[in-house]
Amino acid sequence: MLIALAVAVATHLALRHLRFGREIYAIGSNPPAARLRGIRVVPVTLAVFALSGGCAGLAGLLYAARFGYVNPGITGVGFELTVIAAVVIGGVSINGGAGSVLGTALGCCCSARSRWRCRSSACPASWQNAIYGAIILLALVIDRSVREGGIGHLRRRGRA
């Protein structure tokens, strides 16, 4: 837990106070505009993927330390919807350019709490996946409506 907290704090500080962090947000919101602003999009994107791979490696190491083994064929299978839903609950835009580390951490806590609650109430795994899928779809609809000018925009066009 302490390692995850240290990584989260370091990531938050880097995204908020370093030029590299601001470049990541700029590329996430609009890559062509970031390129016109003078940001080297390809090297920054490659650096982000490299950092993501390093974090994934650290997570694998922590998983192996906790459980004593790692089976690459089954470890992490089925967590895709859970992770995406946790990030979306935390306020990260699916289309990029918006979100925070604190929001993501809170989204992970909420996701873990809902997973625990579903397991303790003997809710089937298929229902858990359906709930996570519904959360992701709802987030996509909300994100699209916000980017297009809000819910009022949808009402004016006769969609809501």
Side-chain angles (χ1 to χ4, degrees), residues 4-160:
L5 182 63
V7 169
V9 168
T11 304
H12 170 73
L13 292 174
L15 287 174
R16 293 291 176 209
H17 300 292
L18 295 180
R19 178 180 172 188
F20 181 67
R22 291 187 300 271
E23 289 177 349
I24 292 170
Y25 275 109
I27 291 170
S29 358
N30 192 343
R35 185 173 292 112
L36 291 174
R37 179 71 175 100
I39 297 172
R40 298 180 320 152
V41 173
V42 173
V44 171
T45 304
L46 288 175
V48 168
F49 276 113
L51 288 170
S52 176
C55 287
L58 178 62
L61 187 67
L62 293 174
Y63 184 93
R66 180 174 179 202
F67 295 109
Y69 72 95
V70 175
N71 182 349
I74 62 169
T75 301
V77 172
F79 280 110
E80 299 86 2
L81 281 176
T82 307
V83 171
I84 294 170
V87 171
V88 166
I89 290 170
V92 174
S93 171
I94 298 253
N95 294 317
S100 69
V101 176
L102 177 62
T104 300
L106 291 175
C108 289
C109 290
C110 289
S111 178
R113 173 82 176 167
S114 68
R115 171 168 254 167
W116 174 80
R117 189 169 289 232
C118 282
R119 284 186 180 163
S120 66
S121 65
C123 178
S126 59
W127 278 92
Q128 290 178 16
N129 288 337
I131 291 168
Y132 291 136
I135 290 170
I136 293 168
L137 287 174
L138 181 64
L140 281 170
V141 169
I142 291 171
D143 190 51
R144 181 173 179 220
S145 69
V146 168
R147 285 184 182 265
E148 288 183 354
I151 300 294
H153 173 74
L154 292 177
R155 285 191 187 134
R156 285 190 299 272
R157 299 189 105 191
R159 290 190 224 165

